[in-house]
Amino acid sequence: MVVAEIGASVGRMATVNSDELASDLDAQLSRWEAEVYRSLMWVIPACDEIAAQADALGLVPQAIRARLLSSDVRSRQGMAEAARVEQLALHEAAQAWPALARHAATYLVSSCDRVGRRAEAMRWAEASLRGASSDDLSAWHAEALMVAALFSTSRAGADYTLVYQAMAAVRVAGLPALVSATAANFAEVAAECGELGIASHFTDEAEAMMRRHPEAAAALSWESVARARLALSELAAAERACKESLWLEKQLGCCDVNGDPWLSCAEVALARGDAAGALAMLEHPRRLARASSAWTNARDLGVRARVMAGLQRWEEAYQWMVRYVAAYEQIRSVEGDRAVAESSQAVAVDEARRQSRHFEQLAMTDPLTGLPNRRHAEHWLAEHADVPLCLAIADLDHFKRINDTFSHAAGDLVLQRFGAMLNEVFNRSDSGPGTPMLAARLGGEEFLLAWCGIPCDAAMVRSDEIRKRLRATSFADIAGDLPVTASLGLAFGTPPVNPSELLRTADLHLYQAKHGGRDRTVGPVQRQDMAG
């Protein structure tokens, strides 16, 4: 069914351009990336088909992304070492696309963890977040934070700063399966570390999400809820969660070898005093038929020791416990824990810095036009006060008439189109290197244009070119027959420049342009009144 669906997609896409093809493949991959939190069924054949299609179309990022997801599924199924090797090669191939390379690093974290390479896993967790920007897919960044946070909380006394950052990012991503899996994972780890209040909070969130969105429920998410409920001494709730987990495992399978519903059910049975029932769970045919990870192997040894003790088979209990301690110490070395503690703190700090930079960018940007705002403009002018500076204030003529005639929504569209025009003009490379310049929205229908290190007459010509280009731009779809023009007032200053004084001078010339008939540029030197 999945392969047929993809085949039909190939036929549809034969008639569209490469950008649309890439977008279509990315949409399919986003769907499958979310699906792995519930079930691994069909993911590999779907990804293999997408990768082949991307190869044929020359869409390298999509081909890498599809192969990364295929390798992640194999890692989840128990082939983690082979997947790790493949992911290393794909990470190298993705270097031209930084966001994709960070995504590959996230997969490497999990594969390294599954084979017990804990310190290496944390290094990849740092790489998955290094250089992250607001342009990254929100789901990718949320996953990277979630994986890093799981490491940061895997010991007693951990700092939960990164956990709350990760959970906030996951909620923003808006994928119910990812939200429930993340909350359930955090609940389980917090419970293991004795942070019962935190465990209770995340357990409630995970369970509420899965009951509200049954399509987001997964066997391993319910298993994590069961383990957290058990740690909270909520035995009845743990048993209910175990039943949900086993039912979903039968329907959808398990989505990660790091999970083991039967093993958790055995722990619940032990808590009831039913060692025989626990042993039956450990020997369940479906469990014995699947692969396991270094972590679940270690857990299995510990539970078997407790089961043998419950059955009063003391010699066997002792032997299993010796094997458990050896396996546990091998995985969680002192060096590994130290690397995790130091690295997770660094990741939390880096994420806080990234968020700080993002918030600063938002604070300095006009949300309507995307141009720098007045605050940004004031900072920029102050930073360039030590060089010759030309600036112009541009004010749209009769703008109130557009708002009154066609609505404020229409007025916003006019401002956006003018802002896009300014952005295009000021991002061109024809000004040459070493010519700092800025276009910003000061507020309302008023904009600032500024150039450093160019003569006043050159700034006058550039300002008037913008005026003429605006007049030649059609706004018929927004404002009908009403013309959209602007008046500009120019000012020039030599260092040390007083930005406030320069703005006042430009505003005075803008006043003269308005009273001289509008749709003109007025500057500070002789015969600078440009119109027509």
Side-chain angles (χ1 to χ4, degrees):
M1 181 180 69
V2 173
V3 175
E5 176 187 339
I6 296 171
S9 175
V10 174
R12 286 198 313 274
M13 293 194 297
T15 61
V16 296
N17 62 37
S18 60
D19 287 341
E20 292 171 321
L21 290 166
S23 179
D24 188 275
L25 292 181
D26 280 331
Q28 292 182 50
L29 286 165
S30 291
R31 169 192 161 193
W32 290 112
E33 284 169 350
E35 180 65 13
V36 297
Y37 286 98
R38 294 197 70 228
S39 174
L40 304 182
M41 295 178 179
W42 301 109
V43 178
I44 287 181
C47 288
D48 289 348
E49 185 70 24
I50 292 170
Q53 187 178 337
D55 285 339
L57 296 168
L59 300 174
V60 179
Q62 286 73 25
I64 293 173
R65 184 179 175 185
R67 291 190 171 96
L68 279 169
L69 184 54
S70 274
S71 70
D72 181 57
V73 171
R74 286 188 284 274
S75 177
R76 289 167 177 265
Q77 290 174 330
M79 296 169 277
E81 181 55 30
R84 186 185 72 87
V85 173
E86 183 181 5
Q87 288 161 5
L88 285 169
L90 291 169
H91 178 267
E92 186 64 27
Q95 291 305 302
W97 301 275
L100 186 58
R102 287 190 288 272
H103 191 49
T106 301
Y107 286 128
L108 277 159
V109 178
S110 298
S111 292
C112 289
D113 179 48
R114 291 184 188 109
V115 295
R117 294 173 173 259
R118 191 169 180 77
E120 182 182 344
M122 196 60 220
R123 288 195 293 272
W124 283 115
E126 289 184 76
S128 71
L129 293 167
R130 191 179 302 123
S133 73
S134 55
D135 294 331
D136 288 7
L137 289 179
S138 60
W140 286 6
H141 184 63
E143 285 179 286
L145 278 173
M146 181 261 282
V147 171
L150 285 172
F151 281 89
S152 76
T153 54
S154 58
R155 65 193 191 285
D159 180 0
Y160 277 74
T161 301
L162 186 57
V163 167
Y164 294 119
Q165 290 173 344
M167 200 67 230
V170 166
R171 293 185 189 112
V172 169
L175 300 173
L178 181 58
V179 172
S180 57
T182 302
N185 278 330
F186 288 161
E188 179 181 353
V189 174
E192 287 179 345
C193 296
E195 300 285 357
L196 299 186
I198 295 172
S200 179
H201 167 77
F202 284 122
T203 303
D204 290 343
E205 180 171 358
E207 189 164 342
M209 179 61 71
M210 289 190 286
R211 295 206 183 281
R212 192 161 59 247
H213 294 278
E215 76 282 1
L220 298 194
S221 295
W222 274 114
E223 182 202 358
S224 293
V225 167
R227 297 196 70 210
R229 294 293 187 201
L230 182 60
L232 292 164
S233 300
E234 299 172 3
L235 189 56
E239 289 178 322
R240 288 194 297 270
C242 277
K243 289 178 182 177
E244 294 277 3
S245 179
L246 290 174
W247 185 85
L248 283 168
E249 186 283 326
K250 193 172 183 179
Q251 307 302 312
L252 302 173
C254 284
C255 57
D256 199 319
V257 292
N258 268 345
D260 190 332
W262 303 274
L263 186 55
S264 295
C265 288
E267 290 178 310
V268 172
L270 279 174
R272 286 200 317 263
D274 182 7
L279 183 59
M281 280 293 172
L282 293 179
E283 302 299 328
H284 195 287
R286 288 183 65 84
R287 179 173 190 261
L288 298 177
R290 68 187 292 267
S292 58
S293 70
W295 289 105
T296 50
N297 284 338
R299 276 185 62 207
D300 175 85
L301 295 172
V303 173
R304 285 184 183 277
R306 291 164 55 202
V307 168
M308 292 301 109
L311 296 172
Q312 298 186 8
R313 291 156 60 174
W314 306 114
E315 180 62 28
E316 290 172 79
Y318 173 75
Q319 294 299 333
W320 285 117
M321 184 57 68
V322 169
R323 292 174 61 184
Y324 165 68
V325 170
Y328 186 84
E329 290 300 324
Q330 181 180 353
I331 294 171
R332 301 200 56 173
S333 66
V334 173
E335 291 75 18
D337 278 346
R338 183 180 299 118
V340 169
E342 293 173 354
S343 298
S344 60
Q345 290 168 8
V347 168
V349 170
D350 286 345
E351 172 61 11
R353 287 173 178 161
R354 188 198 69 82
Q355 289 183 350
S356 177
R357 289 193 299 270
H358 180 53
F359 294 153
E360 181 181 24
Q361 182 183 7
L362 292 177
M364 303 284 269
T365 302
D366 173 52
L368 180 64
T369 63
L371 292 172
N373 60 13
R374 176 181 286 274
R375 180 183 176 192
H376 186 143
E378 289 171 349
H379 280 279
W380 190 92
L381 292 174
E383 289 172 356
H384 294 86
D386 57 347
V387 294
L389 185 61
C390 290
L391 63 81
I393 297 177
D395 188 272
L396 298 182
D397 298 322
H398 299 298
F399 186 72
K400 186 174 184 298
R401 186 184 302 169
I402 297 173
N403 281 339
D404 292 345
T405 305
F406 294 98
S407 79
H408 287 275
D412 286 349
L413 291 174
V414 169
L415 293 171
Q416 288 174 331
R417 188 166 296 179
F418 183 45
M421 188 192 86
L422 291 178
N423 192 51
E424 179 186 344
V425 169
F426 277 73
N427 282 331
R428 287 192 321 223
S429 59
D430 56 5
S431 298
T435 309
M437 53 188 180
L438 176 76
R441 184 185 177 202
L442 296 178
E445 63 269 30
E446 202 168 73
F447 294 79
L448 174 75
L449 319 175
W451 300 267
C452 290
I454 66 171
C456 185
D457 55 350
M460 187 75 179
V461 170
R462 293 186 186 188
S463 298
D464 208 55
E465 286 175 348
I466 290 170
R467 178 186 66 83
K468 290 176 180 177
R469 180 169 173 174
L470 175 63
R471 187 176 60 187
T473 300
S474 173
F475 288 85
D477 57 323
I478 301 172
D481 295 332
L482 283 183
V484 178
T485 62
S487 301
L488 291 88
L490 195 81
F492 175 78
T494 57
V497 175
N498 184 329
S500 298
E501 185 61 36
L502 210 59
L503 286 167
R504 280 193 291 271
T505 302
D507 200 47
L508 174 62
H509 292 145
L510 174 62
Y511 178 83
Q512 293 172 1
K514 291 286 189 182
H515 283 265
R518 293 184 170 81
D519 190 21
R520 65 188 61 235
T521 304
V522 174
V525 297
Q526 293 182 354
R527 207 52 210 151
Q528 279 197 345
D529 187 340
M530 294 186 177

